[in-house]
Amino acid sequence: YMGAMATWEIITAKLELVQTLDDTAQQLAAAAEELGATATQLTKNSERTNQQSASAAAAAEEVSAGVRTVSTN
C-alpha cells in the first residue's frame, strides 16, 4: 500500500500547489484592477492640473496686460 500512499501524497501536494496558484492569481488580478483605478485617477488629476495651469496662465496674462496699461498711462 506504499504506492497508494505515495500517490495520494503527490496528489495532495499538487492540489495544494493549484490552490496556491489560484490564490496568487486572484491577488494579482485584484492588484491589477486597483492599479488600473489608480492610473485612471492619476489621469483625471493630470487633466485637472492642466486645466488649472491654463487658467492660471490666462489670469497671469490678464494681470500683465493690466500692468502694462497702467504703466503706459
Side-chain angles (χ1 to χ4, degrees), residues 41-57:
Q41 188 61 46
L42 286 171
T43 300
K44 290 178 182 178
N45 290 347
S46 175
E47 290 169 354
R48 188 176 328 135
T49 299
N50 285 340
Q51 292 170 350
Q52 291 171 345
S53 294
S55 294

Side-chain angles (χ1 to χ4, degrees), residues 16-44:
E16 289 173 354
L17 176 61
V18 167
Q19 183 62 47
T20 300
L21 290 173
D22 185 49
D23 292 345
T24 302
Q26 289 177 9
Q27 291 172 353
L28 184 58
E33 187 174 333
E34 187 175 332
L35 183 58
T38 300
T40 299
Q41 188 61 46
L42 286 171
T43 300
K44 290 178 182 178

